[in-house]
Amino acid sequence: MNRRVLVFEDIESVSRAAAAAVVELVDASPGPFRLALSGGETPRMMLEILAGESGLGGGKVHFFWADERFVPVSDPASNSGNARRLLLERARVPEENIHAVPVDVPKPPDAASLYERVLMEHFGISGNRFPVFDLVLLGVGSDGHTASLFPGDPVLDERERLAAAVEAPPGVLPRERITLTLPVINSARRVFFLAVGRSKAAVLRGILEPGSPASRELPASLVSPGERLTWFLDRGAGAGLDGVRGGG
Ligand code: 6PG
């Protein structure tokens, strides 16, 4: 796995660079492009920029989510609801290309099981194989979580399931979530992390500084995709990473 750490002036240049990199990968793909989005605040501007890209609405890109909150899609906390408003509706992405976590079910474990079925059917997989996403877009929390994989959570040890229901730590709302498991994220060809703001600088040093061990206490450090991992940071998040920038 090849890793690049790219540092930009601000969130706008991070967003433009990441959007351009997504479009480049989509354009270069000979067939359907399977993309998993994350939620949170950081990717919003990138999603808005992508909404203006014609290549995303033509049916080539299939949209999935790295994690979802167990709330109605109309809820402002819904990752797929926000992606619909910021990108999918504007880019006129066909409904059959949108593979959201089914949240209109009684409990989060039901949603996780149904989402696993969505993944298995779309990727045509069975048994102990994993879907191969062309790209997974991730963020990172100041505690080192990514998707809804939180520090020390037993789900970090999951090696068979594709998706799981988890409960975020107290104070992280909404608490009920569904997340892709690490084996699925690490089966992806590529992962882009987007992180901005000084509040992420300390955790990023813990993840990116040479010699930092991958740790269950920093779930983002456990992400290791097949081909390439790229970090898109602004100066605030990248503070103190002088020796790490650039990429192979
Ligand atoms: C979610 C995200 C989550 C997010 C981080 C960073 O559903 O909340 O998938 O993993 O990427 O919490 O969030 P910010 O971009 O808001 O800092």
Side-chain angles (χ1 to χ4, degrees):
M1 184 270 298
N2 179 301
R3 187 186 83 176
R4 290 185 304 172
V5 179
L6 308 175
V7 181
F8 300 88
E9 188 59 34
D10 53 24
I11 186 168
E12 181 174 352
S13 46
V14 164
S15 305
R16 292 195 180 287
V22 170
V23 170
E24 184 181 354
L25 290 175
V26 171
D27 290 348
S29 174
F33 191 87
R34 281 91 177 203
L35 170 61
L37 301 176
S38 275
E41 294 304 312
T42 304
R44 296 173 71 95
M45 189 183 293
M46 179 196 63
L47 295 180
E48 290 179 301
I49 293 167
L50 286 173
E53 295 294 340
S54 58
L56 295 183
K60 182 174 186 180
V61 183
H62 285 266
F63 292 86
F64 299 80
W65 277 265
D67 69 327
E68 183 58 280
R69 291 84 176 277
F70 191 64
V71 296
V73 68
S74 57
D75 189 306
S78 169
N79 291 340
S80 59
N82 286 323
R84 283 178 180 273
R85 280 187 290 277
L86 294 169
L87 167 56
L88 306 179
E89 291 164 3
R90 296 180 187 178
R92 302 185 190 289
V93 173
E95 196 58 36
E96 60 268 24
N97 285 59
I98 301 171
H99 311 280
V101 177
V103 291
D104 51 345
V105 293
K107 301 189 301 296
D110 306 319
S113 299
L114 280 177
Y115 192 44
E116 286 184 307
R117 202 177 303 166
V118 166
L119 294 168
M120 294 175 84
E121 287 170 7
H122 179 83
F123 286 89
I125 55 176
S126 59
N128 59 356
R129 288 174 45 235
F130 296 108
V132 178
F133 283 97
D134 294 287
L135 175 62
V136 176
L137 289 168
L138 294 174
V140 61
S142 55
D143 63 351
H145 84 261
T146 190
S148 285
L149 300 168
F150 290 91
D153 192 311
V155 74
L156 294 169
D157 300 322
E158 179 58 57
R159 293 294 176 266
E160 294 180 3
R161 296 203 59 185
L162 308 184
V166 299
E167 193 163 68
V172 178
L173 303 177
R175 294 196 65 188
E176 293 186 314
R177 299 170 178 230
I178 294 86
T179 186
L180 291 181
T181 57
L182 264 177
V184 173
I185 292 172
N186 286 342
S187 297
R189 292 194 173 85
R190 300 170 196 85
V191 168
F192 289 173
F193 274 102
L194 276 67
V196 301
R198 292 198 67 85
S199 67
K200 306 290 175 75
V203 73
L204 287 173
R205 283 195 296 274
I207 294 168
L208 294 173
E209 269 181 344
S212 301
S215 156
R216 295 171 85 259
E217 294 314 308
L218 292 173
S221 70
L222 301 174
V223 171
S224 178
E227 292 173 19
R228 170 161 275 189
L229 170 59
T230 305
W231 288 83
F232 293 83
L233 310 179
D234 73 346
R235 289 196 183 289
L241 285 175
D242 296 337
V244 181
R245 302 183 185 189

